Amino acid sequence: MHWLFRYACLTWICLYFVAHPAAPAFAQDACSAPVALAMDYDDRGRPLVTVTIENKTESMLLDIGGGRSALEMDLVRELGLPQVYSEIGMTAVTGESSNMATRAGAFALGAIEKHDIALMILPGFDYELSPGEPGGILALDFFAGNDLAFDFMSNEFLVLASRACAQAF
């Protein structure tokens, strides 16, 4: 009977780590206070955040309903990021689709830093971005394992370090 208990515990631990992916690396201690990040809006009322990709500051749409973060093709080329075929595809509301992806060596949203981050390349027209246009979409995959709290009146949101640290607050 003791072996059954050990087996159940081991199975639970394995399932926990599959269901709860690793949280992004924070510049400060992993269980520190929540990180407050600024949020702005474009002329259409879409929420924007400022990120740093490969030492270039860029605005991205904050899409909390989306599952995959992605960059515009023009930005991928400008940064000299690799373009590779992906088994995962993306389809835009226009019906255009893409199976192209890239990797950014350095990606930061305020104090949240990620390295070697996988990003989709947005489907659509291959055009130059107009000044002020967002360079991509930042979706929930970026915040995996984190909790978010939005304060739309103050134009900011909080990123809690990870679910494992929730009891510390």
PDB file of all heavy atoms in Angstrom, residues 134-161:
ATOM      1  N   PRO A 134       1.765  49.169 -33.544  1.00  0.00           N
ATOM      2  CA  PRO A 134       2.376  48.138 -32.692  1.00  0.00           C
ATOM      3  C   PRO A 134       3.137  47.119 -33.532  1.00  0.00           C
ATOM      4  O   PRO A 134       2.730  46.767 -34.630  1.00  0.00           O
ATOM      5  CB  PRO A 134       1.192  47.501 -31.974  1.00  0.00           C
ATOM      6  CG  PRO A 134      -0.031  48.017 -32.630  1.00  0.00           C
ATOM      7  CD  PRO A 134       0.325  49.179 -33.471  1.00  0.00           C
ATOM      8  N   GLY A 135       4.259  46.659 -32.985  1.00  0.00           N
ATOM      9  CA  GLY A 135       5.106  45.704 -33.686  1.00  0.00           C
ATOM     10  C   GLY A 135       4.700  44.268 -33.477  1.00  0.00           C
ATOM     11  O   GLY A 135       5.371  43.358 -33.970  1.00  0.00           O
ATOM     12  N   GLY A 136       3.611  44.043 -32.758  1.00  0.00           N
ATOM     13  CA  GLY A 136       3.179  42.672 -32.534  1.00  0.00           C
ATOM     14  C   GLY A 136       2.109  42.594 -31.464  1.00  0.00           C
ATOM     15  O   GLY A 136       1.515  43.604 -31.064  1.00  0.00           O
ATOM     16  N   ILE A 137       1.896  41.371 -30.991  1.00  0.00           N
ATOM     17  CA  ILE A 137       0.874  41.081 -29.985  1.00  0.00           C
ATOM     18  C   ILE A 137       1.538  40.352 -28.823  1.00  0.00           C
ATOM     19  O   ILE A 137       2.247  39.370 -29.035  1.00  0.00           O
ATOM     20  CB  ILE A 137      -0.238  40.189 -30.572  1.00  0.00           C
ATOM     21  CG1 ILE A 137      -0.950  40.918 -31.707  1.00  0.00           C
ATOM     22  CG2 ILE A 137      -1.214  39.756 -29.493  1.00  0.00           C
ATOM     23  CD1 ILE A 137      -1.912  40.036 -32.473  1.00  0.00           C
ATOM     24  N   LEU A 138       1.322  40.833 -27.618  1.00  0.00           N
ATOM     25  CA  LEU A 138       1.792  40.151 -26.418  1.00  0.00           C
ATOM     26  C   LEU A 138       0.587  39.461 -25.796  1.00  0.00           C
ATOM     27  O   LEU A 138      -0.354  40.116 -25.356  1.00  0.00           O
ATOM     28  CB  LEU A 138       2.419  41.146 -25.438  1.00  0.00           C
ATOM     29  CG  LEU A 138       3.209  40.528 -24.303  1.00  0.00           C
ATOM     30  CD1 LEU A 138       4.397  39.730 -24.835  1.00  0.00           C
ATOM     31  CD2 LEU A 138       3.696  41.602 -23.351  1.00  0.00           C
ATOM     32  N   ALA A 139       0.607  38.121 -25.810  1.00  0.00           N
ATOM     33  CA  ALA A 139      -0.545  37.339 -25.369  1.00  0.00           C
ATOM     34  C   ALA A 139      -0.253  36.610 -24.063  1.00  0.00           C
ATOM     35  O   ALA A 139       0.817  36.770 -23.464  1.00  0.00           O
ATOM     36  CB  ALA A 139      -0.945  36.359 -26.474  1.00  0.00           C
ATOM     37  N   LEU A 140      -1.193  35.794 -23.650  1.00  0.00           N
ATOM     38  CA  LEU A 140      -1.104  35.117 -22.354  1.00  0.00           C
ATOM     39  C   LEU A 140       0.049  34.130 -22.243  1.00  0.00           C
ATOM     40  O   LEU A 140       0.492  33.831 -21.133  1.00  0.00           O
ATOM     41  CB  LEU A 140      -2.419  34.424 -22.034  1.00  0.00           C
ATOM     42  CG  LEU A 140      -3.552  35.365 -21.628  1.00  0.00           C
ATOM     43  CD1 LEU A 140      -4.823  34.581 -21.376  1.00  0.00           C
ATOM     44  CD2 LEU A 140      -3.179  36.183 -20.405  1.00  0.00           C
ATOM     45  N   ASP A 141       0.569  33.607 -23.360  1.00  0.00           N
ATOM     46  CA  ASP A 141       1.685  32.667 -23.256  1.00  0.00           C
ATOM     47  C   ASP A 141       2.904  33.310 -22.600  1.00  0.00           C
ATOM     48  O   ASP A 141       3.676  32.649 -21.923  1.00  0.00           O
ATOM     49  CB  ASP A 141       2.052  32.072 -24.617  1.00  0.00           C
ATOM     50  CG  ASP A 141       2.519  33.107 -25.629  1.00  0.00           C
ATOM     51  OD1 ASP A 141       2.117  34.287 -25.526  1.00  0.00           O
ATOM     52  OD2 ASP A 141       3.270  32.725 -26.548  1.00  0.00           O
ATOM     53  N   PHE A 142       3.053  34.613 -22.761  1.00  0.00           N
ATOM     54  CA  PHE A 142       4.163  35.326 -22.133  1.00  0.00           C
ATOM     55  C   PHE A 142       4.038  35.309 -20.609  1.00  0.00           C
ATOM     56  O   PHE A 142       5.038  35.299 -19.905  1.00  0.00           O
ATOM     57  CB  PHE A 142       4.226  36.765 -22.633  1.00  0.00           C
ATOM     58  CG  PHE A 142       5.375  37.554 -22.071  1.00  0.00           C
ATOM     59  CD1 PHE A 142       6.639  37.430 -22.616  1.00  0.00           C
ATOM     60  CD2 PHE A 142       5.192  38.384 -20.978  1.00  0.00           C
ATOM     61  CE1 PHE A 142       7.710  38.143 -22.090  1.00  0.00           C
ATOM     62  CE2 PHE A 142       6.258  39.100 -20.452  1.00  0.00           C
ATOM     63  CZ  PHE A 142       7.520  38.973 -21.007  1.00  0.00           C
ATOM     64  N   PHE A 143       2.819  35.306 -20.107  1.00  0.00           N
ATOM     65  CA  PHE A 143       2.570  35.382 -18.671  1.00  0.00           C
ATOM     66  C   PHE A 143       2.274  34.025 -18.043  1.00  0.00           C
ATOM     67  O   PHE A 143       1.706  33.953 -16.954  1.00  0.00           O
ATOM     68  CB  PHE A 143       1.395  36.327 -18.399  1.00  0.00           C
ATOM     69  CG  PHE A 143       1.611  37.719 -18.921  1.00  0.00           C
ATOM     70  CD1 PHE A 143       1.000  38.135 -20.092  1.00  0.00           C
ATOM     71  CD2 PHE A 143       2.435  38.600 -18.247  1.00  0.00           C
ATOM     72  CE1 PHE A 143       1.192  39.414 -20.586  1.00  0.00           C
ATOM     73  CE2 PHE A 143       2.638  39.884 -18.728  1.00  0.00           C
ATOM     74  CZ  PHE A 143       2.023  40.290 -19.904  1.00  0.00           C
ATOM     75  N   ALA A 144       2.655  32.937 -18.696  1.00  0.00           N
ATOM     76  CA  ALA A 144       2.362  31.582 -18.199  1.00  0.00           C
ATOM     77  C   ALA A 144       2.842  31.425 -16.759  1.00  0.00           C
ATOM     78  O   ALA A 144       3.966  31.774 -16.416  1.00  0.00           O
ATOM     79  CB  ALA A 144       3.020  30.537 -19.087  1.00  0.00           C
ATOM     80  N   GLY A 145       1.961  30.912 -15.903  1.00  0.00           N
ATOM     81  CA  GLY A 145       2.299  30.684 -14.501  1.00  0.00           C
ATOM     82  C   GLY A 145       2.166  31.920 -13.626  1.00  0.00           C
ATOM     83  O   GLY A 145       2.497  31.884 -12.449  1.00  0.00           O
ATOM     84  N   ASN A 146       1.705  33.030 -14.196  1.00  0.00           N
ATOM     85  CA  ASN A 146       1.551  34.267 -13.453  1.00  0.00           C
ATOM     86  C   ASN A 146       0.091  34.658 -13.360  1.00  0.00           C
ATOM     87  O   ASN A 146      -0.712  34.267 -14.190  1.00  0.00           O
ATOM     88  CB  ASN A 146       2.313  35.411 -14.132  1.00  0.00           C
ATOM     89  CG  ASN A 146       3.785  35.151 -14.181  1.00  0.00           C
ATOM     90  OD1 ASN A 146       4.290  34.699 -15.189  1.00  0.00           O
ATOM     91  ND2 ASN A 146       4.472  35.395 -13.099  1.00  0.00           N
ATOM     92  N   ASP A 147      -0.223  35.452 -12.369  1.00  0.00           N
ATOM     93  CA  ASP A 147      -1.549  36.041 -12.254  1.00  0.00           C
ATOM     94  C   ASP A 147      -1.437  37.505 -12.642  1.00  0.00           C
ATOM     95  O   ASP A 147      -0.414  38.152 -12.374  1.00  0.00           O
ATOM     96  CB  ASP A 147      -2.075  35.920 -10.821  1.00  0.00           C
ATOM     97  CG  ASP A 147      -2.389  34.480 -10.459  1.00  0.00           C
ATOM     98  OD1 ASP A 147      -2.851  33.734 -11.344  1.00  0.00           O
ATOM     99  OD2 ASP A 147      -2.174  34.098  -9.300  1.00  0.00           O
ATOM    100  N   LEU A 148      -2.485  38.031 -13.278  1.00  0.00           N
ATOM    101  CA  LEU A 148      -2.517  39.425 -13.703  1.00  0.00           C
ATOM    102  C   LEU A 148      -3.684  40.135 -13.031  1.00  0.00           C
ATOM    103  O   LEU A 148      -4.743  39.536 -12.850  1.00  0.00           O
ATOM    104  CB  LEU A 148      -2.687  39.523 -15.220  1.00  0.00           C
ATOM    105  CG  LEU A 148      -1.668  38.789 -16.082  1.00  0.00           C
ATOM    106  CD1 LEU A 148      -2.047  38.904 -17.553  1.00  0.00           C
ATOM    107  CD2 LEU A 148      -0.275  39.337 -15.850  1.00  0.00           C
ATOM    108  N   ALA A 149      -3.474  41.386 -12.666  1.00  0.00           N
ATOM    109  CA  ALA A 149      -4.539  42.215 -12.096  1.00  0.00           C
ATOM    110  C   ALA A 149      -4.518  43.550 -12.827  1.00  0.00           C
ATOM    111  O   ALA A 149      -3.479  44.216 -12.872  1.00  0.00           O
ATOM    112  CB  ALA A 149      -4.315  42.418 -10.597  1.00  0.00           C
ATOM    113  N   PHE A 150      -5.627  43.923 -13.426  1.00  0.00           N
ATOM    114  CA  PHE A 150      -5.691  45.134 -14.236  1.00  0.00           C
ATOM    115  C   PHE A 150      -6.367  46.275 -13.487  1.00  0.00           C
ATOM    116  O   PHE A 150      -7.381  46.082 -12.833  1.00  0.00           O
ATOM    117  CB  PHE A 150      -6.447  44.864 -15.541  1.00  0.00           C
ATOM    118  CG  PHE A 150      -5.676  43.986 -16.468  1.00  0.00           C
ATOM    119  CD1 PHE A 150      -5.743  42.603 -16.356  1.00  0.00           C
ATOM    120  CD2 PHE A 150      -4.866  44.528 -17.433  1.00  0.00           C
ATOM    121  CE1 PHE A 150      -5.013  41.792 -17.193  1.00  0.00           C
ATOM    122  CE2 PHE A 150      -4.133  43.729 -18.287  1.00  0.00           C
ATOM    123  CZ  PHE A 150      -4.210  42.351 -18.165  1.00  0.00           C
ATOM    124  N   ASP A 151      -5.782  47.470 -13.620  1.00  0.00           N
ATOM    125  CA  ASP A 151      -6.357  48.691 -13.079  1.00  0.00           C
ATOM    126  C   ASP A 151      -6.523  49.644 -14.257  1.00  0.00           C
ATOM    127  O   ASP A 151      -5.613  50.395 -14.597  1.00  0.00           O
ATOM    128  CB  ASP A 151      -5.447  49.295 -12.008  1.00  0.00           C
ATOM    129  CG  ASP A 151      -6.054  50.529 -11.361  1.00  0.00           C
ATOM    130  OD1 ASP A 151      -7.110  51.009 -11.836  1.00  0.00           O
ATOM    131  OD2 ASP A 151      -5.460  51.017 -10.386  1.00  0.00           O
ATOM    132  N   PHE A 152      -7.670  49.567 -14.918  1.00  0.00           N
ATOM    133  CA  PHE A 152      -7.891  50.340 -16.131  1.00  0.00           C
ATOM    134  C   PHE A 152      -8.001  51.836 -15.855  1.00  0.00           C
ATOM    135  O   PHE A 152      -7.703  52.646 -16.726  1.00  0.00           O
ATOM    136  CB  PHE A 152      -9.134  49.826 -16.869  1.00  0.00           C
ATOM    137  CG  PHE A 152      -8.952  48.431 -17.382  1.00  0.00           C
ATOM    138  CD1 PHE A 152      -9.557  47.356 -16.750  1.00  0.00           C
ATOM    139  CD2 PHE A 152      -8.166  48.180 -18.489  1.00  0.00           C
ATOM    140  CE1 PHE A 152      -9.385  46.068 -17.209  1.00  0.00           C
ATOM    141  CE2 PHE A 152      -7.981  46.893 -18.967  1.00  0.00           C
ATOM    142  CZ  PHE A 152      -8.589  45.828 -18.327  1.00  0.00           C
ATOM    143  N   MET A 153      -8.381  52.222 -14.646  1.00  0.00           N
ATOM    144  CA  MET A 153      -8.457  53.644 -14.303  1.00  0.00           C
ATOM    145  C   MET A 153      -7.065  54.266 -14.225  1.00  0.00           C
ATOM    146  O   MET A 153      -6.871  55.420 -14.570  1.00  0.00           O
ATOM    147  CB  MET A 153      -9.189  53.832 -12.972  1.00  0.00           C
ATOM    148  CG  MET A 153     -10.644  53.415 -13.013  1.00  0.00           C
ATOM    149  SD  MET A 153     -11.642  54.436 -14.114  1.00  0.00           S
ATOM    150  CE  MET A 153     -11.726  55.918 -13.163  1.00  0.00           C
ATOM    151  N   SER A 154      -6.079  53.482 -13.766  1.00  0.00           N
ATOM    152  CA  SER A 154      -4.707  53.981 -13.628  1.00  0.00           C
ATOM    153  C   SER A 154      -3.828  53.617 -14.814  1.00  0.00           C
ATOM    154  O   SER A 154      -2.642  53.927 -14.812  1.00  0.00           O
ATOM    155  CB  SER A 154      -4.070  53.415 -12.359  1.00  0.00           C
ATOM    156  OG  SER A 154      -4.790  53.798 -11.228  1.00  0.00           O
ATOM    157  N   ASN A 155      -4.394  52.943 -15.808  1.00  0.00           N
ATOM    158  CA  ASN A 155      -3.629  52.506 -16.983  1.00  0.00           C
ATOM    159  C   ASN A 155      -2.404  51.684 -16.610  1.00  0.00           C
ATOM    160  O   ASN A 155      -1.300  51.920 -17.107  1.00  0.00           O
ATOM    161  CB  ASN A 155      -3.214  53.690 -17.858  1.00  0.00           C
ATOM    162  CG  ASN A 155      -4.394  54.320 -18.554  1.00  0.00           C
ATOM    163  OD1 ASN A 155      -5.449  53.708 -18.680  1.00  0.00           O
ATOM    164  ND2 ASN A 155      -4.229  55.541 -18.987  1.00  0.00           N
ATOM    165  N   GLU A 156      -2.608  50.729 -15.715  1.00  0.00           N
ATOM    166  CA  GLU A 156      -1.514  49.834 -15.361  1.00  0.00           C
ATOM    167  C   GLU A 156      -2.068  48.462 -15.015  1.00  0.00           C
ATOM    168  O   GLU A 156      -3.260  48.289 -14.837  1.00  0.00           O
ATOM    169  CB  GLU A 156      -0.680  50.382 -14.203  1.00  0.00           C
ATOM    170  CG  GLU A 156      -1.371  50.399 -12.865  1.00  0.00           C
ATOM    171  CD  GLU A 156      -0.473  50.884 -11.739  1.00  0.00           C
ATOM    172  OE1 GLU A 156       0.564  51.502 -11.999  1.00  0.00           O
ATOM    173  OE2 GLU A 156      -0.828  50.628 -10.582  1.00  0.00           O
ATOM    174  N   PHE A 157      -1.157  47.502 -14.972  1.00  0.00           N
ATOM    175  CA  PHE A 157      -1.544  46.168 -14.529  1.00  0.00           C
ATOM    176  C   PHE A 157      -0.427  45.583 -13.701  1.00  0.00           C
ATOM    177  O   PHE A 157       0.726  45.994 -13.790  1.00  0.00           O
ATOM    178  CB  PHE A 157      -1.939  45.258 -15.701  1.00  0.00           C
ATOM    179  CG  PHE A 157      -0.841  44.929 -16.671  1.00  0.00           C
ATOM    180  CD1 PHE A 157      -0.239  43.687 -16.654  1.00  0.00           C
ATOM    181  CD2 PHE A 157      -0.433  45.849 -17.617  1.00  0.00           C
ATOM    182  CE1 PHE A 157       0.748  43.362 -17.559  1.00  0.00           C
ATOM    183  CE2 PHE A 157       0.553  45.536 -18.529  1.00  0.00           C
ATOM    184  CZ  PHE A 157       1.153  44.285 -18.500  1.00  0.00           C
ATOM    185  N   LEU A 158      -0.794  44.655 -12.840  1.00  0.00           N
ATOM    186  CA  LEU A 158       0.162  43.995 -11.957  1.00  0.00           C
ATOM    187  C   LEU A 158       0.398  42.579 -12.440  1.00  0.00           C
ATOM    188  O   LEU A 158      -0.531  41.879 -12.816  1.00  0.00           O
ATOM    189  CB  LEU A 158      -0.373  43.941 -10.526  1.00  0.00           C
ATOM    190  CG  LEU A 158      -0.632  45.264  -9.820  1.00  0.00           C
ATOM    191  CD1 LEU A 158      -1.263  45.002  -8.457  1.00  0.00           C
ATOM    192  CD2 LEU A 158       0.656  46.041  -9.662  1.00  0.00           C
ATOM    193  N   VAL A 159       1.656  42.175 -12.389  1.00  0.00           N
ATOM    194  CA  VAL A 159       2.022  40.790 -12.689  1.00  0.00           C
ATOM    195  C   VAL A 159       2.527  40.202 -11.383  1.00  0.00           C
ATOM    196  O   VAL A 159       3.530  40.663 -10.833  1.00  0.00           O
ATOM    197  CB  VAL A 159       3.110  40.712 -13.775  1.00  0.00           C
ATOM    198  CG1 VAL A 159       3.464  39.258 -14.062  1.00  0.00           C
ATOM    199  CG2 VAL A 159       2.653  41.417 -15.044  1.00  0.00           C
ATOM    200  N   LEU A 160       1.809  39.216 -10.883  1.00  0.00           N
ATOM    201  CA  LEU A 160       2.230  38.529  -9.662  1.00  0.00           C
ATOM    202  C   LEU A 160       3.289  37.506 -10.052  1.00  0.00           C
ATOM    203  O   LEU A 160       3.143  36.804 -11.049  1.00  0.00           O
ATOM    204  CB  LEU A 160       1.042  37.865  -8.988  1.00  0.00           C
ATOM    205  CG  LEU A 160      -0.089  38.832  -8.608  1.00  0.00           C
ATOM    206  CD1 LEU A 160      -1.306  38.067  -8.143  1.00  0.00           C
ATOM    207  CD2 LEU A 160       0.379  39.794  -7.543  1.00  0.00           C
ATOM    208  N   ALA A 161       4.351  37.422  -9.265  1.00  0.00           N
ATOM    209  CA  ALA A 161       5.534  36.636  -9.627  1.00  0.00           C
ATOM    210  C   ALA A 161       5.202  35.223 -10.061  1.00  0.00           C
ATOM    211  O   ALA A 161       5.697  34.758 -11.071  1.00  0.00           O
ATOM    212  CB  ALA A 161       6.536  36.620  -8.475  1.00  0.00           C
TER     213      ALA A 161
END
